[in-house]
Amino acid sequence: MSLLFLLLLLHELMPGTQGLSLCGWRTQESGGNKLQYSAGSGEDTFTVVNTEKALIVYSPFLSSNEIVLQPLRGTYLFCVHWIPALGIFNFTYGVTKSHIMQTSPQTRSNLLQPTPPSYTCDSSTLLFDVTINGQPLNNSCNFTFPLLSTATDMKNVEHDISQVADYLDKNHFSGKGRMLRYWIETVLSNVTIEENSHHFGKGSLQAAVYKLNSSDVLISLPDCLGVSLSFPKQLMETVNTGTRLHVVRILDSGALFQDAANNTVVDSQVIGITFEGTQVSNLSEDIVITFHHQPLQVNSSPVCVFWDELSENWRMDGCNTVPGEQISSEVIPEVHLVMLSVLTFAGCSISAVSCFFTIIWICCSRKMQSNPTLQIHLNLLGAVLLLDLSFILSAVLGALEERSLCISSAAVLHFALLCTFSWMAIEGFNLYRLVVKVFPASSVTTIKLALVGWGVPILIVAAVMLMDQESYGVSSIAVERPSFHNSTASICWLTEPIVHVLNLGFCAAILLFNACMMVAMTRRVLRLTAHTRTEKIRHCVTLLGLTCMLGLPWGLAFFAHGALYLTVQYIFSILNALQGLFIFLWYCALSQPSAKKQSHSSDCTSATPASPRAEQSLSSDHKKLLG
């Protein structure tokens, strides 16, 4: 287990740490499909010039090269991103073609100073809808900006760190680890944050800056970085109010922190901590850093170490390793994650369409306004439709790791899940009212049930948001991949373990109640006398449909452990992602009149499951179930 204390002693001269992103639209004429980039004549400027023949980028420390672009004439969206301090130059052109390169920063003495080409700025060479670091600019053919030594704006820092994280994710960063570590520390030291804390980055590079106004500010740390910190009282007393703390989490394959012994970093994750302007030494108590990792190999002996910048080696001085309790966590192989994702997305899409058409079908029914059972079906379908759509949205936003949007999406997904389970519980209650202990429908109106089915979930989600909105956010799923990169997949969901446990308890209680109702209904159906093969089939269809209406397949989630983990995951994903489709098929099957009692009416309500005419051969209890 490896811990890095980034007490950087590096003071070597580096190019500007702030990156620049210039994006816009370019009209490409015949023969103009080239990108040229080279060192500029300006001392500390970044210049982009558009001509009929090429798009040209000039900047100090940039090596010279030329790229041939797609030859078709037309208007193309382009984006140039350049971080001089790290030698990262990224160019995207059009929708499908992207060039990602890494150059080595050069000294000015080694650079050739090119002569800027002569060009005419007209409508054919004008760059339009141009932005620099997200800020809009006037249309022009020539853009020049100073290279600032440091980045102070939060949005610019977020953009730069995300760009570097992408390089680390794709294993494209082959520069010196010392250079990257110094850049991270410089950027975090100069950024201006408006609140007491702010989180930057994603994937292989994440960082957080905290103003230590109180010890409570560190509460959010485990949520955003998966790390908890405990500082001794002696240290906190010496730290001035407002002192900033930097916490960095890097996933490293060994290129950034490689010592002479080629030691392996557990989970490839390195944790760095820095107190701005504070020298930490001779503490009577330990600084405790706690984090979780994947299960270790048999006979492995992990130790706590820190990285020594001077010797560029891992050292154990002053480090104590205290193994925690092993937390069993199932890991999904990448190939199965892809298959499960495809099945779930396809299933949710089909289910959403099926719910929509079934809702339309029910709304066409003349019995809908006067039939409580139909109204309950309608609300359940609405909840399932919302669940399908919100799940797809949460999966997409989770992959993008947009924190603010992810909180909202996770709250909507939680609300949709609670509504679905609430209405499945109401379906079970309706089954109890009709079959087990019969009492008039007038005593329990649909309006009262709607207050429970939609109102209770609203209150629960509102309570969670009021207590701590950070209970929603980006939730990670452990994934086994061929490389160390992206060892987790993300979705917008619950992040607070206590809320997650309470949510499971809520769902488990409903499933237990509905299972009891299903047993009672099965006993009633088995007592019915089926005179024909068709009636036997309809009895079976009724039970299968009720299984889906009551949400019993959701109970498979409690059995997804051990050797059955992947098998149950596949069955669970297929059955529950297609819940809306199964309800639609069940509705269609029971809407068909029996062979001996076919109705001659062409009305769409002539034989719905909520009509007694749908199955006149069943017993009275069975007819009540259907509506």
Side-chain angles (χ1 to χ4, degrees):
M1 151 181 339
S2 59
L3 302 174
L4 166 68
F5 293 90
L6 287 180
L7 305 176
L8 296 174
L9 305 175
L10 193 61
H11 298 288
E12 61 182 280
L13 212 42
M14 293 182 66
T17 57
Q18 177 172 346
L20 283 173
S21 287
L22 188 135
C23 302
W25 291 86
R26 175 180 185 255
T27 302
Q28 178 178 298
E29 302 294 343
S30 179
N33 57 321
K34 291 182 181 178
L35 167 73
Q36 298 174 353
Y37 55 95
S38 60
S41 56
E43 281 295 304
D44 288 295
T45 59
F46 173 81
T47 302
V48 176
V49 178
N50 185 40
T51 69
E52 292 184 353
K53 298 298 182 183
L55 184 67
I56 307 171
V57 179
Y58 299 120
S59 183
F61 308 102
L62 188 61
S63 59
S64 299
N65 205 343
E66 179 178 282
I67 297 173
V68 178
L69 307 173
Q70 41 207 355
L72 297 178
R73 298 174 60 185
T75 303
Y76 292 88
L77 175 65
F78 73 92
C79 193
V80 178
H81 188 74
W82 168 233
I83 303 180
L86 300 178
I88 291 179
F89 182 70
N90 181 13
F91 177 69
T92 303
Y93 196 77
V95 178
T96 59
K97 196 160 187 175
S98 176
H99 295 277
I100 298 178
M101 298 139 296
Q102 182 171 331
T103 61
S104 298
Q106 304 176 37
T107 60
R108 287 190 176 87
S109 60
N110 295 332
L111 299 178
L112 297 177
Q113 305 298 329
T115 302
S118 59
Y119 66 93
T120 301
C121 188
D122 53 29
S123 58
S124 63
T125 58
L126 199 66
L127 299 176
F128 55 95
D129 291 341
V130 180
T131 61
I132 181 73
N133 289 344
Q135 300 299 319
L137 301 172
N138 294 327
N139 298 343
S140 179
C141 305
N142 187 326
F143 297 89
T144 300
F145 303 94
L147 290 176
L148 301 179
S149 58
T150 57
T152 59
D153 184 74
M154 286 196 302
K155 291 183 178 179
N156 292 341
V157 170
E158 175 64 44
H159 188 271
D160 289 349
I161 291 181
S162 296
Q163 286 282 326
V164 176
D166 288 339
Y167 277 84
L168 293 174
D169 287 342
K170 299 169 184 176
N171 203 19
H172 284 168
F173 188 85
S174 57
K176 294 181 179 180
R178 174 178 292 183
M179 180 174 62
L180 175 63
R181 295 190 295 273
Y182 178 73
W183 178 83
I184 294 173
E185 191 64 17
T186 303
V187 167
L188 296 180
S189 296
N190 289 279
V191 66
T192 301
I193 61 174
E194 299 174 353
E195 300 178 351
N196 286 332
S197 64
H198 193 82
H199 176 253
F200 300 96
K202 60 182 180 179
S204 295
L205 175 58
Q206 299 183 57
V209 178
Y210 295 86
K211 294 179 182 177
L212 296 182
N213 298 324
S214 68
S215 58
D216 296 337
V217 75
L218 298 178
I219 293 177
S220 64
L221 186 60
D223 295 329
C224 64
L225 294 180
V227 180
S228 61
L229 299 174
S230 176
F231 297 110
K233 184 178 181 181
Q234 174 190 357
L235 175 60
M236 297 305 294
E237 289 176 347
T238 60
V239 173
N240 296 326
T241 302
T243 296
R244 305 208 315 182
L245 171 70
H246 307 165
V247 183
V248 180
R249 177 178 177 267
I250 303 176
L251 294 182
D252 175 41
S253 61
L256 301 178
F257 298 90
Q258 186 59 62
D259 61 359
N262 291 323
N263 288 308
T264 302
V265 178
V266 172
D267 272 358
S268 303
Q269 63 174 328
V270 180
I271 308 299
I273 302 173
T274 301
F275 282 93
E276 279 190 16
T278 303
Q279 183 176 359
V280 181
S281 61
N282 301 322
L283 296 177
S284 58
E285 300 179 38
D286 292 335
I287 296 175
V288 179
I289 307 175
T290 306
F291 64 96
H292 302 291
H293 55 77
Q294 299 299 326
L296 302 174
Q297 297 179 354
V298 181
N299 299 326
S300 61
S301 301
V303 292
C304 169
V305 294
F306 75 96
W307 181 258
D308 186 351
E309 281 291 348
L310 296 179
S311 64
E312 293 196 324
N313 275 303
W314 293 111
R315 295 178 55 183
M316 298 175 57
D317 307 5
C319 288
N320 297 317
T321 305
V322 181
E325 296 182 3
Q326 187 67 46
I327 301 177
S328 175
S329 60
E330 304 289 352
V331 181
I332 302 178
E334 185 176 20
V335 62
H336 291 292
L337 176 67
V338 173
M339 289 298 297
L340 287 168
S341 299
V342 171
L343 288 173
T344 304
F345 271 80
C348 287
S349 301
I350 295 172
S351 176
V353 173
S354 301
C355 286
F356 177 77
F357 282 109
T358 311
I359 290 173
I360 298 299
W361 188 356
I362 293 177
C363 289
C364 287
S365 172
R366 295 177 182 175
K367 300 285 186 179
M368 199 271 288
Q369 295 297 330
S370 60
N371 195 310
T373 299
L374 263 184
Q375 294 168 2
I376 292 173
H377 294 342
L378 184 66
N379 281 277
L380 174 60
L381 287 165
V384 174
L385 175 59
L386 178 62
L387 179 61
D388 291 332
L389 297 178
S390 60
F391 177 84
I392 294 175
L393 178 63
S394 293
V396 173
L397 294 179
L400 298 176
E401 296 189 359
E402 293 289 343
R403 181 173 172 272
S404 57
L405 293 177
C406 212
I407 291 176
S408 301
S409 179
V412 173
L413 178 59
H414 188 208
F415 169 73
L417 181 70
L418 293 174
C419 288
T420 300
F421 270 83
S422 296
W423 281 106
M424 288 190 300
I426 292 173
E427 288 280 2
F429 169 77
N430 192 51
L431 188 65
Y432 175 81
R433 179 182 66 83
L434 293 174
V435 178
V436 180
K437 186 175 182 179
V438 180
F439 53 88
S442 59
S443 61
V444 182
T445 63
T446 306
I447 295 179
K448 294 179 180 178
L449 295 177
L451 290 176
V452 175
W454 300 104
V456 171
I458 290 178
L459 293 176
I460 293 176
V461 173
V464 174
M465 291 289 287
L466 289 174
M467 288 188 293
D468 184 9
Q469 68 173 7
E470 297 296 333
S471 296
Y472 297 112
V474 180
S475 178
S476 298
I477 304 169
V479 180
E480 180 184 339
R481 286 191 165 102
S483 67
F484 75 98
H485 297 292
N486 293 329
S487 59
T488 60
S490 300
I491 186 173
C492 301
W493 184 229
L494 296 172
T495 58
E496 178 59 47
I498 296 179
V499 179
H500 185 66
V501 170
L502 294 175
N503 187 64
L504 287 177
F506 177 84
C507 297
I510 290 176
L511 291 175
L512 181 61
F513 171 73
N514 283 356
C516 294
M517 295 302 100
M518 188 63 195
V519 171
M521 184 59 199
T522 302
R523 293 177 59 186
R524 290 298 184 102
V525 171
L526 292 178
R527 294 175 186 173
L528 298 175
T529 303
H531 299 287
T532 65
R533 182 174 179 272
T534 301
E535 290 182 1
K536 293 179 180 179
I537 294 176
R538 291 173 73 82
H539 291 182
C540 294
V541 170
T542 298
L543 293 177
L544 290 175
L546 285 175
T547 300
C548 195
M549 295 287 281
L550 299 177
L552 297 184
W554 285 89
L556 290 171
F558 296 95
F559 301 94
H561 301 285
L564 298 176
Y565 180 69
L566 278 176
T567 303
V568 172
Q569 284 287 348
Y570 275 98
I571 298 174
F572 177 87
S573 298
I574 294 172
L575 292 181
N576 293 303
L578 292 172
Q579 185 175 8
L581 175 64
F582 292 146
I583 295 176
F584 173 76
L585 295 177
W586 176 74
Y587 205 80
C588 289
L590 295 186
S591 292
Q592 300 302 318
S594 62
K596 296 180 180 180
K597 303 283 186 180
Q598 285 195 354
S599 172
H600 297 289
S601 173
S602 60
D603 187 85
C604 70
T605 66
S606 61
T608 65
S611 171
R613 290 174 287 173
E615 185 56 274
Q616 297 181 8
S617 63
L618 293 178
S619 68
S620 59
D621 284 343
H622 202 180
K623 287 191 288 185
K624 288 178 182 178
L625 168 66
L626 296 176

